[in-house]
Amino acid sequence: MNTHIYKLNEYITSGDISEEDMEKLNEAGEILRNGGLVAFPTETVYGLGGNALLKKASKDIYAAKGRPSDNPLIVHISDMDELPQLVETVPEMAAKLADSFWPGPLTMVMRKSDIVPYETTGGLDTVAVRMPEHKVANMLIKLSGVPVAAPSANISGRPSPTTAAHCIEDLSGRIEAIVDGGASSIGVESTIVDLSGEDPVLLRPGAVTLEMLRACLSRDVLLDPALEKPLDKDIRPKAPGMKYRHYAPKAPMIIIQTEYKEDLLDQEKDLTELTDCAIKNIEEKCFEGLKTGIICSDETKEIYMHEIYNKEGRLYKYRNTIEIMSAGSRMDEITIAHNLFAVLRDMDEKSVDFIVAEGISQKKLGYAIMNRMKKAAGQHVINV
Ligand code: TXA
Ligand code: MG
């Protein structure tokens, strides 16, 4: 299959879409309506869209991604009017959350209506719905005239795509089209909250944080057990996607985690312990003859560079087999979220055999970032 690339002239996330780009989106919308698959940008990550009401389209999505078919898809809408037809009823909590966070990076799980096929929901009686904020996503869904099922547009198990180039890498030749609308701004997937029961339950952390959900609902939001520890093989998690090794680079990865303190003196001490531990682990892997990648932060990059490129450095003799990449400042989760998946993919590109990554604070958006990083590392975390 020849995958058509609709490259938009302007990478718009807000404001008006030019006439020329509207024509491209119209074509892409028609492909969706007719059952074809189109990858498109959203503010979180790129999605692989198909008509959510067609069994065949959902099946094709699973096939294109190589995704197990018990892992349900998120259904995307462009307007609140499109919600009631998809669900049994709109729970009061959903109406409240939609009011505050839609359009945006929030997905809500509700009991599904009959028009949503089980092929879309992975056999569940619930459906996950999201209204993206990205102008291109919103317009494409509107123009398609149908609700759009869209998982992240990566081959199953790989890091989610945050650019059209990532989608091309994974899905070229497997789907009808890709809309190139520039990089996704947020960079990690939407928050998922389950509203199908009595208590709201956070299934996946994202840019709408737990604190924001609790404040909006003026009540506690529970944490899905799968968030806190790896699940036993025989337990079926609420969000079936949680059980798979995910967001993962090809190379095995470990995370070195330190508690991040407010006090500046403590921070410096922590960073020394953190980098010491990382260097020790890198040294070990390099000694075994492996090509090693370090995912660090702006604050620590110099420390590693010194050890790698200085003649007296602990890693000097391995300088040709180490790749070092910063995901951003430790103080700036927004930038780290934006860069994370691209850095994981860059490590793949460099064909490293083993990755040592620094953990960051788990507060606010850091919780979502660390959730993805831990999955990428198969929960392999060393606390210092
Ligand atoms: O930001 C996002 O949510 C992106 C963009 C494209 O919108 N989409 C995305 O989809 O991340 P995906 O398929 O990669 O992740 C969807 C997650 C999976 O973990 C899946 O198990 C869960 O949502 N999910 C979907 N429907 C569900 C349901 N009815 N009940 C519980 N979990 C559900
Ligand atoms: Mg995904």
Side-chain angles (χ1 to χ4, degrees):
M1 184 186 300
N2 191 10
T3 301
H4 187 84
I5 313 291
Y6 293 105
K7 191 165 170 53
L8 303 184
N9 289 325
E10 288 162 84
Y11 287 166
I12 340 123
T13 49
S14 60
D16 288 340
I17 301 174
S18 70
E19 230 167 81
E20 210 178 316
D21 285 345
M22 280 297 277
E23 269 171 38
K24 295 173 191 164
L25 291 180
N26 236 323
E27 270 185 46
E30 201 175 315
I31 296 175
L32 284 173
R33 185 166 54 252
N34 295 333
L37 304 188
V38 179
F40 62 95
T42 85
E43 70 276 20
T44 56
V45 299
Y46 270 67
L48 170 56
N51 184 338
L53 304 181
L54 297 179
K55 296 175 184 176
K56 166 108 178 26
S58 291
K59 280 187 179 160
D60 289 347
I61 288 176
Y62 289 112
K65 272 181 72 81
R67 176 174 180 150
S69 61
D70 67 344
N71 191 357
L73 308 174
I74 295 175
V75 178
H76 295 68
I77 57 176
S78 65
D79 193 281
M80 206 51 194
D81 293 349
E82 298 157 33
L83 178 62
Q85 57 164 344
L86 299 173
V87 297
E88 241 174 36
T89 51
V90 178
E92 204 179 305
M93 285 187 284
K96 249 191 199 171
L97 290 171
D99 215 35
S100 293
F101 303 116
W102 274 6
L106 176 69
T107 296
M108 297 192 274
V109 174
M110 293 163 265
R111 296 195 61 79
K112 82 173 190 71
S113 70
D114 291 340
I115 68 163
V116 183
Y118 283 111
E119 281 73 8
T120 300
T121 67
L124 298 176
D125 288 316
T126 53
V127 60
V129 188
R130 170 161 114 82
M131 189 197 297
E133 186 173 27
H134 198 293
K135 280 280 164 198
V136 171
N138 195 281
M139 185 54 76
L140 176 64
I141 297 163
K142 196 166 278 155
L143 292 171
S144 79
V146 292
V148 175
S152 49
N154 52 289
I155 291 285
S156 193
R158 290 211 72 200
S160 292
T162 52
T163 64
H166 295 161
C167 300
I168 293 170
E169 198 177 294
D170 281 15
L171 296 172
S172 187
R174 303 168 75 99
I175 61 177
E176 273 76 9
I178 296 171
V179 176
D180 180 355
S184 294
S185 55
I186 296 175
V188 292
E189 306 86 345
S190 62
T191 305
I192 304 179
V193 62
D194 182 3
L195 302 171
S196 65
E198 209 153 284
D199 297 312
V201 183
L202 181 74
L203 303 184
R204 180 173 75 183
V208 173
T209 63
L210 192 57
E211 294 84 350
M212 288 156 79
L213 294 173
R214 286 177 176 156
C216 173
L217 295 174
S218 317
R219 58 158 295 166
D220 198 19
V221 173
L222 308 180
L223 295 182
D224 188 66
L227 288 174
E228 295 309 296
K229 62 177 177 69
L231 288 173
D232 288 341
K233 271 211 191 76
D234 37 334
I235 296 182
R236 187 180 161 91
K238 278 258 185 65
M242 298 301 219
K243 75 182 170 200
Y244 300 105
R245 182 173 183 244
H246 242 201
Y247 319 112
K250 288 170 187 149
M253 168 165 146
I254 57 167
I255 297 170
I256 317 290
Q257 175 73 311
T258 172
E259 209 176 301
Y260 203 50
K261 315 251 173 52
E262 304 298 329
D263 186 302
L264 276 178
L265 275 177
D266 270 355
Q267 278 180 29
E268 229 163 79
K269 184 171 145 272
D270 281 353
L271 286 188
T272 310
E273 282 173 8
L274 179 76
T275 51
D276 270 350
C277 180
I279 289 164
K280 209 177 89 221
N281 277 277
I282 294 155
E283 216 176 350
E284 260 170 36
K285 295 297 169 187
C286 288
F287 180 76
E288 288 170 23
L290 299 183
K291 183 167 181 190
T292 315
I294 311 172
I295 300 178
C296 64
S297 52
D298 292 352
E299 285 82 354
T300 53
K301 190 165 181 182
E302 279 302 315
I303 302 176
Y304 299 107
M305 296 290 275
H306 182 83
E307 296 294 346
I308 297 170
Y309 294 110
N310 198 301
K311 277 210 168 99
E312 275 81 52
R314 279 177 281 174
L315 299 172
Y316 182 72
K317 63 177 162 199
Y318 304 120
R319 65 192 174 284
N320 296 324
T321 56
I322 299 178
E323 295 290 340
I324 175 159
M325 296 176 199
S326 170
S329 163
R330 300 177 66 78
M331 315 293 278
D332 177 8
E333 316 92 66
I334 292 178
T335 300
I336 294 185
H338 180 79
N339 291 335
L340 179 65
F341 289 138
V343 169
L344 292 177
R345 278 176 181 262
D346 285 348
M347 282 293 177
D348 277 349
E349 197 98 312
K350 300 283 184 192
S351 304
V352 301
D353 306 305
F354 195 88
I355 300 170
V356 176
E358 290 178 4
I360 60 158
S361 155
Q362 308 222 38
K363 286 194 197 126
K364 296 186 200 157
L365 184 56
Y367 186 42
I369 295 169
M370 286 306 294
N371 169 268
R372 307 311 191 270
M373 286 187 71
K374 285 185 198 166
K375 275 173 177 284
Q379 306 294 330
H380 195 151
V381 180
I382 299 175
N383 287 298
V384 295

